Amino acid sequence: MQLFMQQLVNGLALGSIYALIALGYTMVYGTIRLINFAHGDIFMMGAFLGYFLIAELEMNLFVAMAIVMVSSAILGMVIERIAYKPLRNSTRVAALITAIGVSYFLQNIMIYFLGPEVQAFPSPIETQVFNVFGIIINTKQILVFVVTILMMLILQLIVNRTKMGTAMRAVASDSEAAQLMGINVNTIISFTFALGSSLAGAAGVLYGIYYNSIAPTMGTAPGLKAFIASVVGGIGSIPGAMVGGYLIGLLETIVTFMGGSMYKDAVVYILLIVILLVLPQGLFGKNTREKV
């Protein structure tokens, strides 16, 4: 039983990272119905910027994370303005292909300048281990979990308690009606990209601290799993993205615990297929039909 509880703790830490990335996917899709496959690579670039600030400039972790979040937010807005805004009235397939292109561009530009090798991420905090009723919890897991919960609470406050959050929900509901009501839709879309990208950047730093390694291709697998998490939770739903992230993290960890580490990715994709067949709108999504 203790071993099982130990895996739950490990799964919560991993799920926290997936949940942070998934929030960006779900906010962007909820606002402009775009699956931003470049989101995983913003996560990767956040990890590398965090590495540079902590390892090279010896910066404090939380100062570095704040700079990473601001930089990732700017990167997300620049990508939206250059790559996605001109295609806003195009087909969704065109925007989707552009998102994949941006993803490969970011990944390859990092490989070109830094090489494809895995880099060792420094440990900015002292790793201490605590034994709580036989369950081993270390300071990295506590850091990942606490920072994630804090960011989720702040995001909930922004979305539900601020004018920008109200405008985001209005644009997500009906962008044309929101524009007629005087809401600057372009500003809201940029703000949504900035918000989601800042969370992805923070997730990149947490991922580096948790696994002690980063690579230019690191955005692909966690990005895809975070996308699956947002679909499982109901893409467009912020609570759904959080729950989906934790669900995927726990599922992966439990499958590994049961000796199926080779199949943990396959199990996640099987879960996606099952959800799409049984509950296509996801756990928290709205059951809507769209004409193609």
PDB file of all heavy atoms in Angstrom, residues 212-231:
ATOM      1  N   ASN A 212      16.260  16.970 -13.963  1.00  0.00           N
ATOM      2  CA  ASN A 212      17.695  17.300 -14.052  1.00  0.00           C
ATOM      3  C   ASN A 212      18.257  17.261 -15.459  1.00  0.00           C
ATOM      4  O   ASN A 212      19.472  17.146 -15.638  1.00  0.00           O
ATOM      5  CB  ASN A 212      18.533  16.358 -13.163  1.00  0.00           C
ATOM      6  CG  ASN A 212      18.237  16.540 -11.705  1.00  0.00           C
ATOM      7  OD1 ASN A 212      18.068  17.665 -11.249  1.00  0.00           O
ATOM      8  ND2 ASN A 212      18.137  15.457 -10.976  1.00  0.00           N
ATOM      9  N   SER A 213      17.431  17.279 -16.480  1.00  0.00           N
ATOM     10  CA  SER A 213      17.954  17.271 -17.850  1.00  0.00           C
ATOM     11  C   SER A 213      16.950  17.946 -18.788  1.00  0.00           C
ATOM     12  O   SER A 213      15.735  17.872 -18.566  1.00  0.00           O
ATOM     13  CB  SER A 213      18.231  15.844 -18.324  1.00  0.00           C
ATOM     14  OG  SER A 213      17.034  15.109 -18.378  1.00  0.00           O
ATOM     15  N   ILE A 214      17.492  18.592 -19.824  1.00  0.00           N
ATOM     16  CA  ILE A 214      16.659  19.226 -20.842  1.00  0.00           C
ATOM     17  C   ILE A 214      17.287  18.980 -22.212  1.00  0.00           C
ATOM     18  O   ILE A 214      18.481  18.702 -22.311  1.00  0.00           O
ATOM     19  CB  ILE A 214      16.506  20.751 -20.609  1.00  0.00           C
ATOM     20  CG1 ILE A 214      17.880  21.429 -20.514  1.00  0.00           C
ATOM     21  CG2 ILE A 214      15.695  21.033 -19.370  1.00  0.00           C
ATOM     22  CD1 ILE A 214      17.811  22.938 -20.440  1.00  0.00           C
ATOM     23  N   ALA A 215      16.489  19.055 -23.268  1.00  0.00           N
ATOM     24  CA  ALA A 215      16.981  18.842 -24.635  1.00  0.00           C
ATOM     25  C   ALA A 215      16.077  19.615 -25.594  1.00  0.00           C
ATOM     26  O   ALA A 215      14.904  19.873 -25.281  1.00  0.00           O
ATOM     27  CB  ALA A 215      16.971  17.354 -24.968  1.00  0.00           C
ATOM     28  N   PRO A 216      16.594  19.984 -26.777  1.00  0.00           N
ATOM     29  CA  PRO A 216      15.753  20.733 -27.732  1.00  0.00           C
ATOM     30  C   PRO A 216      14.504  19.985 -28.195  1.00  0.00           C
ATOM     31  O   PRO A 216      13.546  20.599 -28.641  1.00  0.00           O
ATOM     32  CB  PRO A 216      16.712  20.971 -28.905  1.00  0.00           C
ATOM     33  CG  PRO A 216      18.071  20.945 -28.309  1.00  0.00           C
ATOM     34  CD  PRO A 216      18.002  19.911 -27.229  1.00  0.00           C
ATOM     35  N   THR A 217      14.525  18.650 -28.064  1.00  0.00           N
ATOM     36  CA  THR A 217      13.352  17.871 -28.494  1.00  0.00           C
ATOM     37  C   THR A 217      12.423  17.540 -27.326  1.00  0.00           C
ATOM     38  O   THR A 217      11.473  16.789 -27.492  1.00  0.00           O
ATOM     39  CB  THR A 217      13.808  16.554 -29.160  1.00  0.00           C
ATOM     40  OG1 THR A 217      14.678  15.872 -28.251  1.00  0.00           O
ATOM     41  CG2 THR A 217      14.559  16.814 -30.453  1.00  0.00           C
ATOM     42  N   MET A 218      12.699  18.101 -26.164  1.00  0.00           N
ATOM     43  CA  MET A 218      11.929  17.732 -24.967  1.00  0.00           C
ATOM     44  C   MET A 218      10.481  18.205 -25.000  1.00  0.00           C
ATOM     45  O   MET A 218       9.648  17.719 -24.237  1.00  0.00           O
ATOM     46  CB  MET A 218      12.590  18.337 -23.721  1.00  0.00           C
ATOM     47  CG  MET A 218      12.603  19.859 -23.710  1.00  0.00           C
ATOM     48  SD  MET A 218      13.356  20.584 -22.246  1.00  0.00           S
ATOM     49  CE  MET A 218      11.986  20.546 -21.102  1.00  0.00           C
ATOM     50  N   GLY A 219      10.156  19.125 -25.899  1.00  0.00           N
ATOM     51  CA  GLY A 219       8.792  19.653 -25.932  1.00  0.00           C
ATOM     52  C   GLY A 219       7.802  18.720 -26.597  1.00  0.00           C
ATOM     53  O   GLY A 219       6.590  18.836 -26.391  1.00  0.00           O
ATOM     54  N   THR A 220       8.307  17.761 -27.394  1.00  0.00           N
ATOM     55  CA  THR A 220       7.391  16.943 -28.204  1.00  0.00           C
ATOM     56  C   THR A 220       6.519  16.021 -27.346  1.00  0.00           C
ATOM     57  O   THR A 220       5.284  16.107 -27.389  1.00  0.00           O
ATOM     58  CB  THR A 220       8.202  16.108 -29.215  1.00  0.00           C
ATOM     59  OG1 THR A 220       9.034  16.991 -29.969  1.00  0.00           O
ATOM     60  CG2 THR A 220       7.271  15.361 -30.149  1.00  0.00           C
ATOM     61  N   ALA A 221       7.167  15.132 -26.575  1.00  0.00           N
ATOM     62  CA  ALA A 221       6.384  14.143 -25.809  1.00  0.00           C
ATOM     63  C   ALA A 221       5.538  14.792 -24.706  1.00  0.00           C
ATOM     64  O   ALA A 221       4.312  14.555 -24.654  1.00  0.00           O
ATOM     65  CB  ALA A 221       7.318  13.081 -25.238  1.00  0.00           C
ATOM     66  N   PRO A 222       6.115  15.637 -23.842  1.00  0.00           N
ATOM     67  CA  PRO A 222       5.248  16.271 -22.832  1.00  0.00           C
ATOM     68  C   PRO A 222       4.169  17.160 -23.460  1.00  0.00           C
ATOM     69  O   PRO A 222       3.056  17.247 -22.940  1.00  0.00           O
ATOM     70  CB  PRO A 222       6.232  17.117 -22.008  1.00  0.00           C
ATOM     71  CG  PRO A 222       7.553  16.494 -22.223  1.00  0.00           C
ATOM     72  CD  PRO A 222       7.533  15.981 -23.628  1.00  0.00           C
ATOM     73  N   GLY A 223       4.512  17.799 -24.596  1.00  0.00           N
ATOM     74  CA  GLY A 223       3.520  18.644 -25.274  1.00  0.00           C
ATOM     75  C   GLY A 223       2.336  17.826 -25.759  1.00  0.00           C
ATOM     76  O   GLY A 223       1.180  18.215 -25.591  1.00  0.00           O
ATOM     77  N   LEU A 224       2.637  16.658 -26.375  1.00  0.00           N
ATOM     78  CA  LEU A 224       1.554  15.796 -26.860  1.00  0.00           C
ATOM     79  C   LEU A 224       0.716  15.262 -25.701  1.00  0.00           C
ATOM     80  O   LEU A 224      -0.518  15.208 -25.787  1.00  0.00           O
ATOM     81  CB  LEU A 224       2.148  14.625 -27.645  1.00  0.00           C
ATOM     82  CG  LEU A 224       2.437  14.879 -29.126  1.00  0.00           C
ATOM     83  CD1 LEU A 224       3.103  13.656 -29.748  1.00  0.00           C
ATOM     84  CD2 LEU A 224       1.169  15.232 -29.895  1.00  0.00           C
ATOM     85  N   LYS A 225       1.384  14.882 -24.621  1.00  0.00           N
ATOM     86  CA  LYS A 225       0.631  14.346 -23.476  1.00  0.00           C
ATOM     87  C   LYS A 225      -0.211  15.436 -22.803  1.00  0.00           C
ATOM     88  O   LYS A 225      -1.316  15.170 -22.335  1.00  0.00           O
ATOM     89  CB  LYS A 225       1.591  13.701 -22.473  1.00  0.00           C
ATOM     90  CG  LYS A 225       2.131  12.388 -22.993  1.00  0.00           C
ATOM     91  CD  LYS A 225       3.141  11.796 -22.072  1.00  0.00           C
ATOM     92  CE  LYS A 225       3.731  10.538 -22.698  1.00  0.00           C
ATOM     93  NZ  LYS A 225       4.857  10.005 -21.924  1.00  0.00           N
ATOM     94  N   ALA A 226       0.324  16.653 -22.783  1.00  0.00           N
ATOM     95  CA  ALA A 226      -0.477  17.751 -22.235  1.00  0.00           C
ATOM     96  C   ALA A 226      -1.681  18.026 -23.137  1.00  0.00           C
ATOM     97  O   ALA A 226      -2.774  18.341 -22.645  1.00  0.00           O
ATOM     98  CB  ALA A 226       0.382  18.998 -22.114  1.00  0.00           C
ATOM     99  N   PHE A 227      -1.471  17.893 -24.454  1.00  0.00           N
ATOM    100  CA  PHE A 227      -2.606  18.050 -25.372  1.00  0.00           C
ATOM    101  C   PHE A 227      -3.661  16.968 -25.104  1.00  0.00           C
ATOM    102  O   PHE A 227      -4.861  17.254 -25.057  1.00  0.00           O
ATOM    103  CB  PHE A 227      -2.103  17.972 -26.821  1.00  0.00           C
ATOM    104  CG  PHE A 227      -3.204  17.876 -27.832  1.00  0.00           C
ATOM    105  CD1 PHE A 227      -4.086  18.931 -28.010  1.00  0.00           C
ATOM    106  CD2 PHE A 227      -3.380  16.736 -28.588  1.00  0.00           C
ATOM    107  CE1 PHE A 227      -5.126  18.844 -28.930  1.00  0.00           C
ATOM    108  CE2 PHE A 227      -4.409  16.643 -29.507  1.00  0.00           C
ATOM    109  CZ  PHE A 227      -5.282  17.698 -29.680  1.00  0.00           C
ATOM    110  N   ILE A 228      -3.182  15.728 -24.906  1.00  0.00           N
ATOM    111  CA  ILE A 228      -4.123  14.637 -24.578  1.00  0.00           C
ATOM    112  C   ILE A 228      -4.839  14.946 -23.256  1.00  0.00           C
ATOM    113  O   ILE A 228      -6.042  14.730 -23.121  1.00  0.00           O
ATOM    114  CB  ILE A 228      -3.362  13.297 -24.485  1.00  0.00           C
ATOM    115  CG1 ILE A 228      -2.859  12.900 -25.872  1.00  0.00           C
ATOM    116  CG2 ILE A 228      -4.244  12.193 -23.905  1.00  0.00           C
ATOM    117  CD1 ILE A 228      -1.924  11.718 -25.883  1.00  0.00           C
ATOM    118  N   ALA A 229      -4.093  15.497 -22.306  1.00  0.00           N
ATOM    119  CA  ALA A 229      -4.701  15.849 -21.012  1.00  0.00           C
ATOM    120  C   ALA A 229      -5.813  16.875 -21.196  1.00  0.00           C
ATOM    121  O   ALA A 229      -6.876  16.774 -20.571  1.00  0.00           O
ATOM    122  CB  ALA A 229      -3.628  16.403 -20.075  1.00  0.00           C
ATOM    123  N   SER A 230      -5.583  17.849 -22.078  1.00  0.00           N
ATOM    124  CA  SER A 230      -6.612  18.869 -22.290  1.00  0.00           C
ATOM    125  C   SER A 230      -7.821  18.278 -23.008  1.00  0.00           C
ATOM    126  O   SER A 230      -8.955  18.670 -22.745  1.00  0.00           O
ATOM    127  CB  SER A 230      -6.039  20.063 -23.064  1.00  0.00           C
ATOM    128  OG  SER A 230      -5.594  19.664 -24.331  1.00  0.00           O
ATOM    129  N   VAL A 231      -7.588  17.297 -23.915  1.00  0.00           N
ATOM    130  CA  VAL A 231      -8.715  16.634 -24.603  1.00  0.00           C
ATOM    131  C   VAL A 231      -9.478  15.766 -23.610  1.00  0.00           C
ATOM    132  O   VAL A 231     -10.720  15.756 -23.591  1.00  0.00           O
ATOM    133  CB  VAL A 231      -8.201  15.780 -25.787  1.00  0.00           C
ATOM    134  CG1 VAL A 231      -9.336  14.955 -26.391  1.00  0.00           C
ATOM    135  CG2 VAL A 231      -7.584  16.675 -26.858  1.00  0.00           C
TER     136      VAL A 231
END
